[in-house]
Amino acid sequence: MDSFDAESSTKASAKHDGVDSHLGKCQKIKPLQVSVREDRPLDFWRIVYEGIVAGGTAGVVVEAALYPIDTIKTRLQAAHGGGKIVLKGLYSGLAGNLAGVLPASAIFIGVYEPTKQKLLRAFPDNLSAFAHLTAGALGGLASSLVRVPTEVVKQIMQTREFASAPSAVRVIIAREGFKGLYAGYGSFLLRDLPFDAMQFCIYEQLRIGYRLVAKRELKDHENAIIGAFAGAITGAITTPLDVIKTRLMVQGATKQYRSISHCVKNIVQEEGPAALMKGMGPRVLWIGIGGSIFFGILERTKQILADRHS
């Protein structure tokens, strides 16, 4: 009986060691799995906090680095017919714009990240694109309350109508009332909600695919390259929407365009359909480089915050 127990114990021990060995291998392989769902409890407020910090940091760095390209793009789109593009004052309005970009970017990622996490838990992996699209649109909608006034003031400054952001705000409110700061709000949503949803969906899906192929977590430069690719594609597709938004925002009290449809009709009739693609080169360059910097810094900042929390 003792001999049998010893033999059984030895076999059980070997079997147990085999299971432990197998589990150890599984644990080593687990980080390479590409499932977008998380088994750990969702720390909602930590995700919000990390999103706000990472989003604000990435947004400010990108805006400061690429502001001149954005200024050239705006002046190209605002010019009528063969209007001359002025290349002076390419940093006009930067300080005031950064004051709006910081909270806008923080709000966007602060809404996007927890929304994405909740939706990824609610839907199976094959619907992850839906989660990314929805989270991107909701993040854009929430941040639009800050982004639109910032964009209005920035673009008017870029066309050299005012010397400073505070003076631009005062004159806009005096001429058009508080609603003047939300000029082109409908066209902004028409452009930015699809843009935000598409850019973040393309970025997230490319990351999932890359991780599946590489069977490891992505490095900083790989996140940056994927971000550039996602930004450039989305920027090119949404250029006509950006032209319409720019025209509506910089028209001021003249009200040359009564609506989005009237703006499109007027541009096509007076300048031809090609005018709807004005500024595509600078836009694709700006958003492509911006996407590289933004997503690279975003992922790095999120990782630093996560490591500190751990």
Side-chain angles (χ1 to χ4, degrees):
M1 185 68 176
D2 291 342
S3 176
F4 177 77
D5 288 344
E7 183 179 356
S8 299
S9 175
T10 302
K11 291 180 178 179
S13 177
K15 182 178 180 182
H16 181 71
D17 291 342
V19 172
D20 282 348
S21 177
H22 176 69
L23 287 175
K25 291 178 181 178
C26 289
Q27 289 171 352
K28 291 179 182 178
I29 295 173
K30 189 174 181 180
L32 302 180
Q33 292 176 347
V34 195
S35 173
V36 294
R37 305 182 72 178
E38 292 283 351
D39 296 327
R40 294 172 298 176
L42 182 65
D43 191 344
F44 180 82
W45 292 112
R46 181 178 66 83
I47 293 174
V48 171
Y49 164 73
E50 291 179 357
I52 288 173
V53 174
T57 302
V60 167
V61 172
V62 170
E63 194 68 21
L66 303 180
Y67 196 80
I69 300 176
D70 185 37
T71 299
I72 294 172
K73 183 268 303 180
T74 297
R75 291 176 182 175
L76 282 170
Q77 292 178 342
H80 296 269
K84 185 179 179 180
I85 306 301
V86 179
L87 295 180
K88 293 182 180 180
L90 294 181
Y91 277 96
S92 296
L94 174 61
N97 192 54
L98 290 180
V101 167
L102 176 59
S105 299
I107 291 171
F108 182 94
I109 302 298
V111 171
Y112 173 79
E113 283 294 337
T115 303
K116 177 186 75 174
Q117 295 293 343
K118 280 187 170 292
L119 290 176
L120 288 176
R121 291 167 180 265
F123 295 102
D125 288 351
N126 61 351
L127 292 180
S128 62
F130 174 77
H132 297 139
L133 282 168
T134 304
L138 290 177
L141 184 62
S143 65
S144 68
L145 297 176
V146 176
R147 288 165 72 184
V148 172
T150 301
E151 190 83 354
V152 169
V153 173
K154 178 190 77 172
Q155 294 196 333
I156 289 178
M157 290 283 297
Q158 287 174 333
T159 56
R160 301 179 63 79
E161 186 175 342
F162 298 102
S164 67
S167 63
V169 172
R170 287 194 297 269
V171 173
I172 290 170
I173 294 177
R175 289 179 182 175
E176 308 170 56
F178 187 75
K179 67 178 182 180
L181 293 174
Y182 285 88
Y185 185 70
S187 64
F188 181 90
L189 294 181
L190 177 67
R191 181 203 69 172
D192 274 51
L193 292 191
F195 177 88
D196 293 333
M198 289 171 57
Q199 183 184 30
F200 275 79
C201 181
I202 292 173
Y203 171 73
E204 298 278 15
Q205 293 298 306
L206 286 175
R207 287 187 77 235
I208 292 172
Y210 195 103
R211 288 171 61 198
L212 180 63
V213 174
K215 296 182 180 180
R216 60 172 172 77
E217 292 298 331
L218 274 63
K219 298 178 181 178
D220 290 345
H221 72 276
E222 293 169 328
N223 286 321
I225 292 172
I226 292 174
F229 189 71
I233 291 176
T234 311
I237 294 173
T238 57
T239 295
L241 300 178
D242 190 48
V243 172
I244 296 166
K245 182 224 62 168
T246 298
R247 292 292 181 90
L248 289 172
M249 281 186 168
V250 302
Q251 67 177 332
T254 60
K255 298 301 178 186
Q256 179 183 358
Y257 308 113
R258 297 189 298 271
S259 63
I260 293 174
S261 60
H262 180 252
C263 180
V264 174
K265 182 179 179 181
N266 194 293
I267 291 173
V268 172
Q269 287 181 345
E270 294 185 1
E271 305 171 55
L276 291 173
M277 300 304 293
K278 274 187 172 184
M280 185 176 74
R283 177 173 168 78
V284 170
L285 177 64
W286 168 55
I287 297 178
I289 299 174
S292 174
I293 299 172
F294 181 87
F295 285 110
I297 293 177
L298 179 70
E299 297 297 341
R300 171 47 45 192
T301 307
K302 284 165 56 180
Q303 187 60 53
I304 292 172
L305 293 172
D307 290 343
R308 289 184 62 185
H309 176 77
S310 299

